[in-house]
C-alpha cells in the first residue's frame, strides 16, 4: 500500500487511535498491544485501552502502577510485553533507587490488571552490582531481560535468558547469561516463534544476534552475532548525544545524556515457517548529517544467514536539528513499518513526526502529527512495538535530576496503532 | 559455572567478508538465581483519572 502514511493516515490505516494523549508520567514509558487491548505504562500509571471501544482522545482506564512491581516497590523503568503464545502480559520493573533487584511479573490471563506470578531477578543474576534500564523480550519459549551495567563505560548489556515454561509453572527457571561487548537492543518479537534477537549498531552496519535454544532444555542457547553491512547509514550511533537549546532558550536533553537506549530499535517478526525478518531503526550521522536508518534484515532462521533486504535513510525535517526517541512499529505480516521520532532544535520546538514504509516501497512523507511543545526538559524513551508505535514528546522540567522536585509532565504523547491482521 | 565462547559464522555479504564477533554465553544449570516471589501478590487498585489525580509513587530513571 504505497502512500500508507499520507493525508488519510488516521482515517484509513489505523483502527485504534492516532495522535492521542497517553497517560501522564512520571516519565519512562512503554506500551504493548494484544488483539483486544493496548496497555501503556509509566512510572505512575498502567492504562488499558480496550480496542473494542476505540477512543481517539483517551488513554483508557488507568490504575496505580504499583501492582506491577510485585513487591518490588518503589520501582522504576517499567516495561510491558504481550505474549501471544501464553495469552498473558509480562511486566518488568527495576528497584529504585538502582542497585536492587529487577522483577518480572505475569498476568494470569488477558486481563492486564490481574497478576498471579512474579519473579525476582537479583543484580547477581546479571553478574553486576548495579542494574539500570531493563529491556524485556518474550518469545515462544524464552523470556529475556537485558540490563545496562552503569558501572561500565558505554553501558555494556547483560542479557538474562530464562526458560519460559519454568516461569509459567511458577518455578525458578533455568537461565543463561549473555555478556555482550557493548550496548545492544533486544528486538521486540511479533508472533509465537522461538528465537529472540538483539541488535548492536556500529559504523559499518549492525550486528544481529540470535538466541535460539532454551536454557535447561537444549543444553544451552546457541548464540551468534553477525555483522550485516549497510543497515546503518554510516555513523556511530553511540556518539550522537543531542543536548540542544530550544527556541525559548530552554535546554533539552534526552535520556539524561546516556543515549544508547535510543540509538536503535528493532522488531523481529515470526514468518510462520518461512523464516524471520528483522526491522531495524538506527540513529546515526552520515557525512555530518543526522539521519535515521531504516533497514530490513532477512534470513534470521533457520540457517541464520542474515542479509540486508532494504535500507532507507530518513532525513531531518525542516528546522529540526536532532532526532529524539526514535520508535519503530511493524505490522505482524511485515508489510508496513512505521517510524516515529521527535524532531527539534533551535528553530523548532520538539515535534512528533511519523514516516511509513511499505515492504518493497519507498519511504512515505514525513508527517508532523502534533504541534511542537515549548518547554525545557528532556525527551524520554520511545518504545518499539509490534502492531504499533509510540513516541513521546513530553517534557519534564529542567528541575529534574537533583535540581528540584520532579515536575508535572506536559503530556504530548502520540500513539499510533496498526490494525491486527490475525 | 561453565563459560565458553560462541563464535558467529563468517558470512560473505557480497561486498566483503563480514566479520564476526564473540559472544560470551554463560549457562546456569542451577536454577536458583531467579526466584519466584511468594504470594500474595499485589492487585491493581481502583480506576483513577490520570488527568486529575496526582501521579502515584514513581520515579524517573536514567537510562
Amino acid at each position: 500500500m504505497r502512500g500508507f502514511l499520507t493525508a488519510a493516515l488516521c482515517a484509513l490505516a489505523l483502527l485504534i487511535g492516532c495522535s492521542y494523549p497517553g497517560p501522564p508520567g512520571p516519565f519512562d514509558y512503554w506500551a504493548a498491544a494484544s488483539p483486544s487491548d493496548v496497555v501503556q505504562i509509566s512510572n505512575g500509571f498502567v492504562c488499558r485501552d480496550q480496542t473494542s471501544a476505540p477512543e481517539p482522545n483517551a488513554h483508557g482506564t488507568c490504575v496505580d502502577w504499583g501492582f506491577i512491581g510485585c513487591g518490588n516497590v518503589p520501582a522504576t523503568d517499567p516495561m510491558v510485553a504481550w505474549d501471544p503464545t501464553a495469552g498473558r502480559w509480562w511486566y518488568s520493573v527495576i528497584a529504585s533507587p538502582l542497585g536492587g533487584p529487577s522483577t518480572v511479573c505475569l498476568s494470569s490471563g488477558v486481563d492486564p490488571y490481574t497478576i498471579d506470578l512474579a519473579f525476582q531477578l537479583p543484580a547477581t543474576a546479571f553478574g553486576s552490582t548495579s542494574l539500570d534500564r531493563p529491556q524485556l523480550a518474550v518469545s515462544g519459549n524464552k523470556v529475556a531481560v537485558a540490563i545496562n551495567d552503569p558501572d561500565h563505560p558505554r553501558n555494556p548489556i547483560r542479557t538474562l535468558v530464562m526458560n519460559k515454561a519454568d516461569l509459567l509453572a511458577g518455578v525458578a527457571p533455568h537461565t543463561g547469561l549473555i555478556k555482550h561487548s557493548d550496548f545492544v537492543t533486544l528486538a521486540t518479537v511479533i508472533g509465537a516463534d522461538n528465537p529472540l534477537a538483539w541488535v548492536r549498531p556500529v559504523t559499518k552496519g549492525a550486528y544481529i544476534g540470535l538466541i535460539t535454544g532454551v536454557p535447561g532444555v537444549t543444553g544451552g542457547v546457541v548464540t551468534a552475532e553477525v555483522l550485516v553491512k549497510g543497515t546503518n547509514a554510516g555513523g556511530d550511533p553511540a556518539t550522537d548525544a543531542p543536548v540542544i537549546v530550544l527556541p525559548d532558550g530552554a535546554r533539552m536533553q534526552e535520556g539524561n545524556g546516556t543515549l544508547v537506549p535510543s540509538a536503535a530499535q528493532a522488531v523481529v517478526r515470526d514468518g510462520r515457517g518461512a523464516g524471520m525478518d528483522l526491522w531495524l531503526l538506527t540513529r546515526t550521522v552520515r557525512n555530518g548529517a543526522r539521519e535515521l536508518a531504516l533497514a530490513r534484515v532477512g534470513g534470521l532462521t533457520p540457517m541464520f544467514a542474515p542479509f540486508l533486504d532494504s535500507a532507507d535513510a530518513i532525513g531531518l525535517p525542516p528546522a529540526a536539528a536532532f532526532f529524539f526517541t526514535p520508535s519503530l512499529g511493524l505490522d505482524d505480516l511485515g508489510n508496513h513499518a512505521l517510524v516515529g521520532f521527535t524532531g527539534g532544535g533551535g528553530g523548532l520546538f520538539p515535534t512528533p513526526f511519523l514516516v511509513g514504509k511499505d515492504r518493497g516501497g519507498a519511504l512515505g512523507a514525513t508527517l508532523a502529527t502534533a504541534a511542537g511543545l515549548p518547554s525545557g526538559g528532556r525527551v524520554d524513551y520511545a518504545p518499539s512495538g509490534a502492531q504499533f508505535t509510540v513516541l513521546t514528546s513530553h517534557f519534564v522540567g529542567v528541575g529534574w535530576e537533583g535540581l528540584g522536585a520532579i515536575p508535572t509532565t506536559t503530556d504530548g504523547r502520540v500513539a499510533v496503532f496498526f490494525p491486527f491482521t490475525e | 559455572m561453565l563459560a565458553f565462547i560462541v563464535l558467529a559464522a563468517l558470512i560473505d555479504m557480497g561486498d566483503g567478508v563480514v566479520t564476526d564477533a564473540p559472544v560470551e554465553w554463560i549457562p546456569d544449570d542451577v536454577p536458583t538465581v531467579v526466584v519466584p516471589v511468594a504470594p500474595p501478590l499485589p492487585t491493581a487498585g481502583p480506576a483513577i483519572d490520570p488527568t486529575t489525580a496526582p501521579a502515584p509513587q514513581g520515579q524517573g530513571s536514567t537510562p
Side-chain angles (χ1 to χ4, degrees):
Chain A
M1 183 164 55
R2 189 69 61 90
F4 168 64
L5 288 173
T6 55
L9 172 72
C10 295
L12 295 180
L14 308 167
L15 293 182
I16 302 172
C18 178
S19 298
Y20 64 81
F27 44 90
D28 293 341
Y29 293 98
W30 210 260
S34 76
S36 60
D37 292 270
V38 174
V39 172
Q40 299 181 73
I41 53 179
S42 69
N43 283 326
F45 299 96
V46 177
C47 295
R48 177 188 192 185
D49 187 3
Q50 295 186 275
T51 61
S52 58
E55 296 177 86
N57 191 30
H59 33 59
T61 302
C62 299
V63 299
D64 186 309
W65 77 312
F67 73 101
I68 66 171
C70 293
N72 199 4
V73 178
T76 190
D77 288 350
M79 288 196 71
V80 60
W82 166 249
D83 183 344
T85 307
R88 296 179 169 195
W89 299 90
W90 295 83
Y91 296 98
S92 71
V93 298
I94 194 170
S96 179
L98 303 178
S102 179
T103 304
V104 170
C105 61
L106 177 64
S107 76
S108 58
V110 296
D111 179 0
Y113 290 163
T114 303
I115 300 297
D116 70 349
L117 288 171
F119 299 86
Q120 193 173 78
L121 287 57
T124 52
F126 298 86
S128 174
T129 56
S130 181
L131 308 179
D132 197 4
R133 192 52 193 169
Q135 304 175 52
L136 173 67
V138 179
S139 72
N141 57 13
K142 291 181 287 296
V143 175
V145 174
I147 290 192
N148 288 357
D149 181 354
D151 294 335
H152 193 287
R154 283 195 68 162
N155 295 330
I157 294 291
R158 312 286 176 89
T159 298
L160 182 68
V161 186
M162 294 173 279
N163 181 311
K164 196 171 86 174
D166 291 341
L167 296 172
L168 291 172
V171 301
H174 288 84
T175 62
L177 184 69
I178 300 171
K179 299 177 74 171
H180 303 278
S181 59
D182 204 342
F183 181 85
V184 303
T185 298
L186 284 184
T188 299
V189 179
I190 301 178
D193 212 337
N194 294 326
L196 295 170
W198 74 80
V199 297
R200 181 166 67 89
V202 293
T203 55
K204 296 178 181 178
Y207 283 95
I208 310 295
L210 205 61
I211 311 169
T212 55
V214 184
V217 174
T218 58
V221 172
V222 177
T223 61
E225 191 177 54
V226 176
L227 177 65
V228 182
K229 291 183 176 179
T231 55
N232 184 357
D236 182 352
T239 61
D240 184 20
V243 178
I244 64 173
V245 179
L246 299 178
D248 60 0
R251 290 171 59 86
M252 183 172 117
Q253 184 178 16
E254 178 189 64
N256 197 32
T258 308
L259 298 175
V260 277
S262 296
Q265 299 276 290
V267 179
V268 64
R269 187 185 65 88
D270 174 3
R272 298 181 179 82
M276 304 177 74
D277 56 16
L278 180 146
W279 290 73
L280 170 67
L281 181 68
T282 306
R283 184 169 54 192
T284 187
V285 179
R286 180 172 59 173
N287 299 326
R290 298 181 190 280
E291 294 179 340
L292 290 178
L294 176 63
R296 177 184 174 270
V297 177
L300 265 64
T301 57
M303 299 301 294
F304 192 56
F307 61 88
L308 179 62
D309 180 75
S310 66
D312 294 277
I314 300 168
L316 279 166
F322 293 96
F323 292 102
F324 295 90
T325 56
S327 176
L328 174 63
L330 183 68
D331 76 305
D332 61 353
L333 294 180
N335 291 326
H336 310 295
L338 183 61
V339 172
F341 63 89
T342 298
L348 180 71
F349 285 115
T351 302
F353 290 93
L354 294 174
V355 182
K357 176 180 170 61
D358 303 328
R359 172 181 282 185
L363 286 173
T366 299
L367 303 175
T369 60
L373 299 173
S375 176
R378 75 175 200 177
V379 177
D380 212 343
Y381 303 107
S384 163
Q387 290 93 11
F388 71 97
T389 184
V390 179
L391 64 98
T392 59
S393 59
H394 69 283
F395 300 93
V396 294
V398 293
W400 188 70
E401 277 282 290
L403 300 177
I406 296 176
T408 301
T409 57
T410 300
D411 186 2
R413 302 186 69 213
V414 176
V416 179
F417 301 95
F418 288 97
F420 273 83
T421 54
E422 61 180 5
Chain B
M1 178 178 291
L2 174 65
F4 59 93
I5 302 295
V6 178
L7 295 178
L10 291 175
I11 293 178
D12 187 351
M13 297 299 294
D15 57 348
V17 175
V18 175
T19 59
D20 57 347
V23 178
E24 186 177 1
W25 164 251
I26 302 173
D28 180 3
D29 295 328
V30 183
T32 57
V33 177
V34 176
V35 296
V37 176
L41 298 173
T43 57
I48 51 180
D49 181 354
T51 63
T52 57
Q57 180 184 27
Q59 178 177 329
S61 166
T62 57

